[in-house]
Amino acid sequence: LVAGPRGAGKTTTLGALLWELPRSVRTVVIEDTPELPVTDLQSDGRDVQPVRTASGEGPSVDASEALRTALRLGEGALVVGEVRGAEARVLYEAMRVGASSDAVLGTIHGDGAREIRERVVEDLGVSASSFAVTDCVVTCRRVAVDGAARRRVASIEEVVGEGAEASFEALFALDDDGALEPTDRLERGESELLGTLAG
């Protein structure tokens, strides 16, 4: 999940991450307002299929139905432009059962992993055990750099543990100078996420 307040650069960060998916991965992008670089990815020869959810104008489908349709398409990456309503339960159920094994990515409003967990579990009705399948939360913020406000990745936290016991460990955090630096956990090789990715 890519988190942060409005205008922090969540969608820009998610769009950049899409370019890192292997070319062979079929990607379904679900958005109500097209903001991700779907056309550019398609022009680059990637199999990216956009699905527009209900926003009041033009052809669209309900967000939960769009997710169910995308999951029926089989293996590939699933991208949700913004997780904010009933579709969260469908998305997390898909993640929990491994229905989209290549990647599941999305943006969500909130500041840091703990706040995101509270929002997803308490406000959006996703079970704590389902939330625990989140690999990591990348938090974006506007930070002061050389006296100017810049949009930056402010932290990367991995989710460890299960269910109500899930906790968060920082892998990258901003130092006093505003630079994103690896934490001791990452440098000591204790990251479960890094171990999984390496495997």
Side-chain angles (χ1 to χ4, degrees):
L1 287 173
V2 181
R6 192 175 311 282
K10 299 183 298 296
T11 301
T12 301
T13 301
L14 179 58
L17 289 172
L18 296 183
W19 288 99
E20 299 304 319
L21 293 172
R23 287 179 173 277
S24 60
V25 173
R26 182 188 45 77
T27 305
V28 177
V29 177
I30 300 173
E31 296 180 278
D32 61 356
T33 303
E35 295 179 303
L36 293 167
V38 170
T39 303
D40 292 335
L41 288 159
Q42 290 172 330
S43 296
D44 192 51
R46 296 167 186 258
D47 183 5
V48 180
Q49 302 301 317
V51 177
R52 187 166 177 202
T53 58
S55 63
E57 297 178 13
S60 61
V61 295
D62 172 79
S64 296
E65 185 55 37
L67 270 170
R68 288 187 186 93
T69 300
L71 293 170
R72 284 193 293 270
L73 295 176
E75 298 298 314
L78 181 60
V79 179
V80 180
E82 187 173 340
V83 178
R84 63 175 159 221
E87 75 278 2
R89 288 188 295 280
V90 178
L91 177 66
Y92 270 92
E93 181 62 19
M95 290 166 61
R96 194 175 68 76
V97 301
S100 189
S101 62
D102 286 315
V104 178
L105 304 103
T107 66
I108 189 166
H109 284 285
D111 190 16
R114 283 180 179 77
E115 184 175 313
I116 295 307
R117 181 187 185 278
E118 183 175 324
R119 176 145 191 251
V120 169
V121 173
E122 302 298 328
D123 299 344
L124 301 179
V126 171
S127 71
S129 61
S130 290
F131 177 80
V133 302
T134 304
D135 290 317
C136 69
V137 176
V138 176
T139 301
C140 300
R141 286 192 195 114
R142 285 186 176 270
V143 297
V145 178
D146 298 328
R150 304 264 192 243
R151 299 185 308 171
R152 298 281 308 271
V153 171
S155 67
I156 300 174
E157 299 168 272
E158 69 179 321
V159 180
V160 297
E162 297 180 5
E165 305 303 315
S167 60
F168 311 94
E169 296 288 345
L171 300 179
F172 287 88
L174 293 179
D175 65 14
D176 294 338
D177 296 322
L180 192 65
E181 295 290 339
T183 63
D184 291 344
R185 177 180 179 82
L186 190 64
E187 292 186 331
R188 288 192 303 261
E190 297 172 348
S191 167
E192 295 175 16
L193 175 60
L194 187 60
T196 300
L197 291 172

